[in-house]
Amino acid sequence: LRALEKMKSLRVVALCDNDKETVTAASNEWSVKKCYTNFTEMLENEDISIVSILTPPQSHASLAIEAIRHRVNVLIEKPLTISTGEAESILTSLKGSGVMLTINYGWLFNKVMAETLSLIRNGVIGGVLGVDIRCLHTKEDPMASNANHWCHRLPGGRFGEVLPHPVYVVQSILGDNLKTGSVVATKRGSLPWMPYDELYVFLQSSMGIGQVYVSFNAPRPAVLIDVYGTRKILQIDLINQTLIQLGCRTLSKMDSAFDCL
């Protein structure tokens, strides 16, 4: 709502939540005149061009399909659904409907990531060799540390909630045809409701190799990305919004990379 308030091209006309106290409080705080506890009732009573679905993923499919049925465009949070079957049911509903749907892949649209993708697509780094993403969280992460959070009921638990981010970043660099190589998961922390809290995922496409590392035991939050090209290496820090370009360096026959340290 804070972000939508800054957009002059739209107006928030209604809010909906299954908890009346929650939606009434939000409606009062953000001066939204209409609030509902029934999604279908809101769609039928209001003149809505687009709905933003912000609920836990278990309800994404049913809400998206209901919005499509009412010819309302949809912005939906990631993960899109909790199963391939549910995702396919949304796609089936979209066919011939004239409705547009998109997933909120927010990392792609911050300034430093947009600049990174522009450098890659314009050939500045040469051919892409690979990408390495590290998503670091502390053990106090508000989702992971809350045993009652809905993320723990997802397939993959907290990893099921966070992994779409690094995966769609890898996909935007290495192309759509990603295949999972191997997955390594371990337990280092003390939260009993998280069977794993360290994860390595190896991805591959015809364009290169991707690695994703997710930790919930780090000393500080960080999202760090390295993109390796034939002409340049890019080092991106998404939290601090920095981008470093490392160009070519020619070593003499007698040198090695370690000799230069």
Side-chain angles (χ1 to χ4, degrees):
L1 286 168
R2 185 178 297 109
L4 295 176
E5 190 178 50
K6 298 177 182 178
M7 299 177 66
K8 305 303 180 184
S9 60
L10 59 80
R11 179 171 57 93
V12 179
V13 297
L15 302 177
C16 183
D17 191 275
N18 58 13
D19 184 89
K20 187 174 183 179
E21 290 185 8
T22 297
V23 73
T24 301
S27 178
N28 292 335
E29 180 181 357
W30 295 97
S31 301
V32 179
K33 292 183 179 180
K34 298 291 187 68
C35 60
Y36 293 83
T37 56
N38 184 288
F39 188 63
T40 301
E41 184 181 340
M42 181 183 73
L43 295 175
E44 291 176 347
N45 290 346
E46 302 295 333
D47 182 16
I48 298 172
S49 60
I50 183 169
V51 61
S52 179
I53 297 177
L54 304 154
T55 60
Q58 291 89 338
S59 58
H60 283 183
S62 60
L63 294 174
I65 291 169
E66 183 71 0
I68 294 166
R69 189 173 71 85
H70 284 82
R71 300 294 189 267
V72 176
N73 300 308
V74 179
L75 170 64
I76 194 166
E77 286 297 310
K78 59 83 198 158
L80 172 61
T81 58
I82 60 172
S83 72
T84 302
E86 286 188 347
E88 289 174 344
S89 68
I90 293 176
L91 294 177
T92 299
S93 297
L94 280 172
K95 289 179 181 177
S97 69
V99 172
M100 293 183 289
L101 179 145
T102 191
I103 309 167
N104 185 13
Y105 286 166
W107 286 12
L108 297 182
F109 299 97
N110 66 58
K111 186 176 180 180
V112 71
M113 197 67 230
E115 184 178 354
T116 297
L117 294 175
S118 177
L119 291 172
I120 295 169
R121 289 164 184 167
N122 289 323
V124 174
I125 73 166
V128 175
L129 300 172
V131 56
D132 184 3
I133 301 183
R134 284 141 287 153
C135 303
L136 307 180
H137 307 264
T138 68
K139 58 186 178 182
E140 290 83 19
D141 173 78
M143 290 190 189
S145 62
N146 179 2
N148 298 316
H149 196 279
W150 54 259
C151 73
H152 299 297
R153 296 189 292 275
L154 290 177
R158 181 67 174 92
F159 291 114
E161 194 283 330
V162 73
L163 273 175
H165 283 306
V167 170
Y168 68 64
V169 170
V170 173
Q171 190 174 43
S172 70
I173 297 170
L174 298 183
D176 292 339
N177 190 27
L178 286 180
K179 294 182 179 179
T180 303
S182 59
V183 177
V184 179
T186 62
K187 173 79 171 176
R188 295 293 300 275
S190 59
L191 300 177
W193 50 86
M194 288 188 69
Y196 304 103
D197 48 32
E198 298 282 316
L199 184 72
Y200 257 107
V201 180
F202 297 87
L203 302 166
Q204 187 172 4
S205 79
S206 58
M207 296 177 63
I209 296 173
Q211 298 182 71
V212 176
Y213 169 53
V214 183
S215 172
F216 288 94
N217 300 291
R220 60 185 292 170
V223 180
L224 307 171
I225 305 172
D226 289 333
V227 182
Y228 309 107
T230 55
R231 294 178 188 166
K232 284 189 175 183
I233 297 171
L234 304 180
Q235 296 180 335
I236 303 105
D237 183 330
L238 280 194
I239 290 182
N240 292 308
Q241 287 289 285
T242 60
L243 168 61
I244 298 172
Q245 301 184 45
L246 302 176
C248 294
R249 179 174 182 178
T250 303
L251 301 177
S252 71
K253 293 181 179 179
M254 298 300 294
D255 286 335
S256 73
F258 292 101
D259 293 333
C260 300
L261 294 178

